[in-house]
Amino acid sequence: GSSLIATPIRNWFNRFIDRIPLVKTIYSSINDLLSAFVGQKKRFNRPVLVKLSKDLDMERIGFVTDDQLSVIGKPEGKIAVYFPHSYTYTGNLFIVPAENVRPIKGKSAEVMKYVVSGGVTETDEE
């Protein structure tokens, strides 16, 4: 049923959106973001702690999204880290020195849940 009805409708809708330049950009960005959270191409699967400053002993939880950076000319020794906001599904992307990034042991879904809740949620321990 879904391949006979939903797929043609989805394909028609995507072709329609592709004809409207600004809407296409916004729609594809939102679609990619949602796919990164729940789709087959999950991208928030590398949780890390990022040291914010050499002078401060403070770190922020993020997710490595790209360590090649070919889109922006491959800055030497830097990687892309997405920092989600608490209580929302938005965030910021920062290009940070790879040396400031330390992997977090744990399931990425649990780490995301912890960040989005502002650190108050109970997580499943491994």
Side-chain angles (χ1 to χ4, degrees), residues 23-48:
V23 173
K24 174 186 174 183
T25 302
I26 294 169
Y27 173 76
S28 66
S29 297
I30 291 171
N31 195 28
D32 289 344
L33 178 64
L34 292 176
S35 293
F37 277 110
V38 295
Q40 292 177 352
K41 298 187 284 184
K42 290 182 182 169
R43 294 293 302 252
F44 300 121
N45 56 1
R46 293 171 55 194
V48 293

Side-chain angles (χ1 to χ4, degrees), residues 4 13 17 24 42-43 81 84 88 90-92 98 107 109 115:
L4 292 175
F13 182 74
I17 292 295
K24 174 186 174 183
K42 290 182 182 169
R43 294 293 302 252
V81 178
T88 181
T90 62
N92 294 313
K107 297 177 185 173
V115 172

